[in-house]
Amino acid sequence: MNAALPAFVEAASPHTMNTYGRLPIALSHGQGVWVWDTNGKKYLDGLGGIAVNTLGHNHPKLVPALQDQIAKIIHSSNYYHVPNQEKLAAKLVELSGLTNVFFCSTGLEANEAALKLARKFGHDKGIERPEIVVYEKAFHGRSIATLSATGNPKVQAGFGPLVEGFIRVPINHIDALEKATQGNPNVVAVFFEAIQGEGGVHPMHADYLRQVRALCDKRDWLLMIDEVQCGMGRTGKWFAHQWAGIKPDVMPLAKGLGSGVPIGAVVAGPKAAHIFQPGNHGTTFGGNPLAMRAGVETLRIMEEDGLLENAAQVGDLLRAALAHELLGLAGVKEIRGQGLMLGIELARPCGELVKRCADAGLLISVTADSVIRLVPPLILSAQEAQQIVAILVPIIKAFLAESP
Ligand SMILES: *Cc1c(COP(=O)(O)O)cnc(C)c1O
C-alpha cells in the first residue's frame, strides 16, 4: 500500500497502472440513481460517474436507442459523413446560441481544441506568441497543455516543462484580470470553468462573467468557458454561464453529454467557428456514430423528461435541506454550487468520508481535500434527495464531532 494514500485505498491491481486511488468496490449494474456492487450491496449514486451519468443508469429510453445504434454501426470514420453529427451539432447550436461544433471524445480533448483555437486566433491576426488567461484552482484535464492550464500544482508535479503562454489570475476579481493583462498585446483568450469542479465547486459570479465578457469584446479576446462539468443541464440551465445572460466564443463540453458514452465537443460562436481549416484538427473517434447517437438521445430525453427543471428544483431542495442541517455547525465552512452540482466545504480534509458514505450506501466524492461534492444524475427525485441528506448529514456530524 502506498503510504501517501488514505487507508481505504487498496493496492493497485497487478496489470493496470497505479493511477487511481480506488475504493474496494466494483459496480455491476444500476437502475435509475441506484447502483449495485458485485457483492449485491446497493448504493444511492450521488456522483453519477463524476457528472457523467446524466440520465442515471439503465434508462428505459436511452438503452434501446443505443442497442439499436450498436446493431447498425458503432464507428465509421470522419472520412465519411456521420448524419447524427449534424443533428447533434444543430441541437447544441440551438441550445447555446453559438454556431458550429467540433466533436471529440473527452473533456481534455475538447479543452485542447479550445486552446488550439485560441492560439490560431492569435496567429491569424499576427500574434506570434499568443497568451491565454487561466485561473487559480482551475481544472482542465491531464494532457500536457491542459494540465499546464490547470491551476493545481499536484496535477502538474513531475510533468514539466509545462506548456508556456498562460497567465494565471484569481477568480471573481476583475481588477486582477485587468492588471495581469495590462498593456500585453499577446493576450488572445480568457479560459475558465463557469463553476470550478475539481477545484472545489467555486462558482464564477454572474456580474464577473458579464465584466469578463465586456473586457473580451473590448480587447478582441476569445471568451472560452469550460462547461465540461457544470454544463449539460446540471445547474438547471443548459450551460452554467447562461445564468449570467452571456455567451462565450468557445465552449468545451464532455462528461454529461452522452450519459456515459465517451463524447466531447467544442461549440464555437462566430468569432471562433471558422478558425480551423481542413487539416488543422481532427481525431479518429470524435463524432463517431455511437457517441453521436448517445448525445442526440441524451438531449432529446432531457427535454422530454424536463430534466433541467428537475435539476433546478431538486437541486434547490437538496441544497436547502443540507443548509438547514449543516450551516452554522462548527467545522462546516460553506455550501456552494447550483442545481445538482453542490459542494459542502468543511474546515479540515475529509477524504475518508468517501469510504464512510459508501459503507452507508451513498456514493460521493471529495475534491480539493475538504469539499464534499454531489453531482448525481439529473433524474434524481425529491425523495431521493432526502435520502442523500439522511445518509450524508449524520456522517458529516459524526466526523465533525471527532477530534482531527
Ligand atoms: C473532468 C473535467 C475535464 C477533463 O475531462 P476528461 O474527460 O477527464 O478529460 C476538463 N474540464 C473540467 C471542468 C472537468 O470537470
Side-chain angles (χ1 to χ4, degrees):
M1 169 131 358
N2 183 335
L5 297 173
F8 63 81
V9 176
E10 293 194 321
S13 10
H15 302 299
T16 53
M17 282 198 196
N18 188 18
T19 47
Y20 304 105
R22 299 184 199 269
L23 290 167
I25 293 171
L27 300 179
S28 78
H29 62 285
Q31 185 63 53
V33 297
W34 300 90
V35 286
W36 285 261
D37 72 15
T38 47
N39 296 321
K41 183 173 163 66
K42 185 183 179 186
Y43 305 85
L44 181 45
D45 187 0
L47 186 62
I50 320 182
V52 167
N53 297 309
T54 305
L55 303 177
H57 304 274
N58 195 25
H59 193 284
K61 293 179 184 171
L62 180 66
V63 170
L66 294 182
Q67 284 169 333
D68 171 71
Q69 187 60 50
I70 286 169
K72 282 181 176 150
I73 189 164
I74 295 172
H75 179 82
S76 50
S77 160
N78 285 306
Y79 283 172
Y80 317 105
H81 284 278
V82 177
N84 272 335
Q85 279 188 17
E86 194 48 41
K87 192 167 176 186
L88 181 55
K91 191 71 199 173
L92 290 172
V93 161
E94 174 200 323
L95 300 176
S96 65
L98 304 181
T99 61
N100 294 79
V101 185
F102 172 84
F103 289 109
C104 52
S105 310
T106 67
L108 82 77
E109 275 182 274
N111 286 334
E112 192 82 25
L115 296 172
K116 282 180 70 174
L117 276 174
R119 282 194 167 187
K120 190 154 186 302
F121 173 75
H123 282 275
D124 287 351
K125 54 177 181 171
I127 297 172
E128 277 171 24
R129 303 190 67 81
E131 295 177 45
I132 299 168
V133 176
V134 293
Y135 285 72
E136 291 170 4
K137 298 192 180 126
F139 182 83
H140 298 297
R142 291 171 177 277
S143 67
I144 296 290
T146 58
L147 76 80
S148 301
T150 288
N152 180 346
K154 282 190 204 159
V155 172
Q156 296 172 336
F159 300 106
L162 300 180
V163 170
E164 59 184 313
F166 293 110
I167 300 167
R168 198 168 301 281
V169 300
I171 68 168
N172 291 323
H173 199 321
I174 195 69
D175 293 346
L177 173 59
E178 299 234 21
K179 197 162 164 234
T181 55
Q182 211 161 36
N184 182 344
N186 293 329
V187 177
V188 291
V190 180
F191 182 39
F192 56 79
E193 303 150 81
I195 303 176
Q196 292 183 330
E198 303 306 304
V201 191
H202 293 282
M204 297 282 180
H205 301 150
D207 54 354
Y208 181 75
L209 290 175
R210 290 188 284 264
Q211 288 167 329
V212 177
R213 175 71 272 179
L215 191 63
C216 287
D217 290 340
K218 190 168 135 198
R219 304 266 178 94
D220 193 33
W221 301 338
L222 295 178
L223 175 55
M224 311 204 298
I225 305 188
D226 179 347
E227 292 261 0
V228 168
Q229 187 163 155
C230 57
M232 298 324 304
R234 184 151 292 283
T235 64
K237 289 205 188 275
W238 285 105
F239 309 109
H241 67 263
Q242 291 175 331
W243 289 101
I246 58 151
K247 279 188 214 171
D249 300 302
V250 177
M251 175 174 68
L253 300 172
K255 290 201 165 88
L257 178 55
S259 281
V261 177
I263 179 172
V266 191
V267 190
K271 219 164 143 184
H274 305 290
I275 292 171
F276 282 161
Q277 294 299 314
N280 285 153
H281 199 55
T283 168
T284 301
F285 286 119
N288 97 5
L290 177 61
M292 293 300 99
R293 186 71 184 268
V296 166
E297 300 292 344
T298 296
L299 293 179
R300 179 180 67 83
I301 296 165
M302 287 178 73
E303 284 189 327
E304 275 179 19
D305 295 1
L307 294 187
L308 261 60
E309 296 77 7
N310 191 68
Q313 283 168 15
V314 177
D316 282 352
L317 207 140
L318 179 57
R319 189 199 177 104
L322 291 168
H324 175 74
E325 295 279 356
L326 296 172
L327 285 186
L329 295 184
V332 177
K333 282 177 79 172
E334 205 176 12
I335 299 180
R336 294 187 292 267
Q338 193 161 6
L340 289 174
M341 178 171 183
L342 295 175
I344 306 160
E345 180 166 1
L346 302 187
R348 64 183 159 103
C350 59
E352 63 214 77
L353 295 187
V354 172
K355 171 75 163 84
R356 292 193 201 180
C357 285
D359 287 345
L362 173 66
L363 302 182
I364 58 153
S365 74
V366 168
T367 182
D369 296 333
S370 57
V371 181
I372 299 159
R373 173 176 50 177
L374 295 168
V375 281
L378 304 190
I379 58 167
L380 189 80
S381 70
Q383 194 209 342
E384 290 158 343
Q386 293 297 352
Q387 285 173 279
I388 291 180
V389 176
I391 300 173
L392 183 56
V393 165
I395 290 174
I396 294 175
K397 285 183 175 168
F399 177 75
L400 296 175
E402 295 159 16
S403 46

